[in-house]
Structures are given as structure tokens and as C-alpha cells.
Amino acid sequence: MIKTRWNWRLQLIIAIAVFIPIIPIDSSLRLSVSPTLYAIIRLAYVLLVAAFIYYGLGSLKVRNQKFRRTPLLITTLTICCLPVFLFVSPLQIFGVLRSPKAVSAICLAFSGGILEEFVFRGLVFSLFQKIFVNSRWPLTFAGILSSVCFGLFHSVNLLNGQTIEATLQQIFYATCIGLFFVVVRVSTNTLIWSALLHSLFDTQLSIGSSAGSSPWIWLFLAYVPILLVGLVGLIAMDSNLKRNQPIVKLT
């Protein structure tokens, strides 16, 4: 576990505070400037926030220990990587690049991906790591709780007129996807890859618009396996690190 400059309480406060300026940016600038300029300003703010969070975390790493490359861990992490092919569509990204709205769509996608990864897989994951540092499954508990926080964060879309059912569904699948991003973050030991994948996943022309609802059965069939695979991946990594090095409480 990496020792940070901030304690978990300060990390929680900052995780909430960084979203406050987004409200005036979204409500005022969206209507007063061009979509491209709005997206660029939003991305500029997010990059400043990411730099600030990086300072507080002290590193993009989540662990000092290295994994022991066992067949079980390699197989588990390989299976955990399969959702990448579901989330990131080359045809979708190519369609965005060919669109007149390419600059604004890409800036919005990367502003959302970078901000959410640095806050939820960075600050929030780290603070839960500190809380559960002496537990048997610190990565697993931190991953689950940070993913639940990530899912609940999407309830703000109710303020944009999104229906309750669509928002509940978004909370559900965002939690599942969040756990996948935790596995990426922990296994690669950096925020870079999860932020990049998250941004590529968001690279679509409909970014920023309200989500529609879908049949619940299809959502469960699509996302519950991702959730279960993510849990298995985190438990496998917790077990791997526990065998290599005992847990030490940070002061």
C-alpha cells in the first residue's frame, strides 16, 4: 500500500469538493459558449484536478509489492480483461473521429474518464484501503465500496431529467463497470490504463445526454458476470499479495 500525503478524511472531503465547480461549468458555460469551447474548458479543469489529486496521493501506484505470477492469477486477470472488448468499440471511436463534433466529444469523454478515475479509483479507493488496511481483503473491500460510490454518483443524472428507472439501471451497471476498472487499476498498478480505458469507453457522440432504460434481465445477464469476475480478480490479487508480504498498518 502506498503512503499518501492526505489522511482518509481529507481524501473524502476533496473527493466531494472537486465536483462542486463542475456544477457552474455545466450549467452556465454549456449555454453561453460553443460546445467545443465548453468541452475544452471542462477538460482543462479536470487535468488541474488530476494533477492536484496526484500530488495528494503521492503516486499513481496502488501497491509497493509485486504479484507472484501464479497460473491462477494470470488466468484470472486474463478473464478479467475480456470486458475491454465489450466496453471499447473501435468502430464507435472511428465514428466519433469522423464526426464534426469529434473535438467536443473526445474532450468530454476524457474529462469524464480522467476525473472519475482519479476521484473514485484514486482518492476513494485509497481512502477505503486505509480503512481496511488490516483486514484480510483490503483490495476487495476497497474495490467494492469505491465501485458502489461510483455507481451512486450517477444518481446526479436525476437532476438532468433522467428517469428514475434509467438512473437506477445506470447506478447498477456503473457499479459493475467500476469494479472492472478497479481490477485494471490494481493489476497494472497505475491509474493511467483505467483512465484511458474509461475515456475510450465514453468516446461516443451521445456523451453527456441522458441514458434510456433497458430490460432489467438483459442488464443482469450482461453485467453480473463482469461483477463476479471482478470480485474473483480482486480476491485473487489480495490472496497473492498476502502470501508474499504481511499487512502492515500505516501511521
Side-chain angles (χ1 to χ4, degrees):
M1 178 175 171
I2 302 296
K3 187 172 183 179
T4 64
R5 291 186 173 92
W6 300 331
N7 60 46
W8 72 265
R9 295 175 183 84
L10 182 56
Q11 287 181 219
L12 177 61
I13 293 172
I14 293 174
I16 297 172
V18 296
F19 285 103
I20 295 176
I22 291 290
I23 299 174
I25 290 176
D26 283 351
S27 60
S28 60
L29 285 179
R30 186 190 290 267
L31 300 176
S32 58
V33 300
S34 68
T36 300
L37 181 58
Y38 156 73
I40 292 173
I41 293 174
R42 200 175 194 271
L43 179 59
Y45 169 73
V46 166
L47 291 176
L48 289 175
V49 169
F52 180 58
I53 291 175
Y54 170 72
Y55 168 79
L57 293 177
S59 173
L60 294 180
K61 294 182 178 181
V62 72
R63 53 185 168 78
N64 288 313
Q65 310 102 298
K66 291 184 178 181
F67 290 124
R68 187 173 61 181
R69 296 184 179 180
T70 64
L72 175 61
L73 183 67
I74 293 173
T75 302
T76 302
L77 294 182
T78 300
I79 295 174
C80 287
C81 289
L82 293 179
V84 171
F85 300 101
L86 299 176
F87 297 156
V88 180
S89 169
L91 291 177
Q92 175 180 289
I93 295 173
F94 183 68
V96 171
L97 294 175
R98 295 184 61 186
S99 169
K101 300 179 180 179
V103 174
S104 60
I106 291 172
C107 286
L108 286 178
F110 275 78
S111 66
I114 294 171
L115 180 63
E116 292 174 359
E117 289 306 308
F118 271 75
V119 171
F120 291 102
R121 257 63 69 184
L123 283 176
V124 178
F125 180 82
S126 173
L127 73 87
F128 281 125
Q129 259 195 301
K130 292 178 180 179
I131 293 174
F132 293 101
V133 66
N134 284 327
S135 72
R136 186 177 180 182
W137 315 107
L139 295 177
T140 304
F141 289 142
I144 292 172
L145 291 174
S146 62
S147 298
V148 170
C149 290
F150 176 62
L152 291 174
F153 166 72
H154 289 79
S155 62
V156 300
N157 289 322
L158 287 169
L159 301 176
N160 297 326
Q162 188 168 279
T163 66
I164 294 177
E165 183 180 22
T167 303
L168 289 174
Q169 291 183 351
Q170 194 173 31
I171 290 172
F172 166 69
Y173 63 71
T175 300
C176 299
I177 295 172
L179 200 66
F180 162 74
F181 286 135
V182 170
V183 173
V184 174
R185 194 255 200 274
V186 176
S187 61
T188 60
N189 203 22
T190 180
L191 271 169
I192 298 298
W193 284 109
S194 61
L196 178 60
L197 287 175
H198 192 152
S199 300
L200 291 176
F201 174 62
D202 285 349
T203 302
Q204 47 191 292
L205 295 176
S206 61
I207 184 72
S209 59
S210 297
S213 59
S214 303
W216 278 99
I217 183 64
W218 295 118
L219 289 177
F220 278 110
L221 289 175
Y223 290 101
V224 168
I226 295 173
L227 179 69
L228 295 177
V229 168
L231 284 174
V232 172
L234 288 174
I235 291 172
M237 288 186 284
D238 261 326
S239 299
N240 190 286
L241 292 179
K242 187 176 179 62
R243 286 194 298 268
N244 290 341
Q245 183 172 326
I247 296 174
V248 178
K249 184 174 182 179
L250 296 177
T251 58

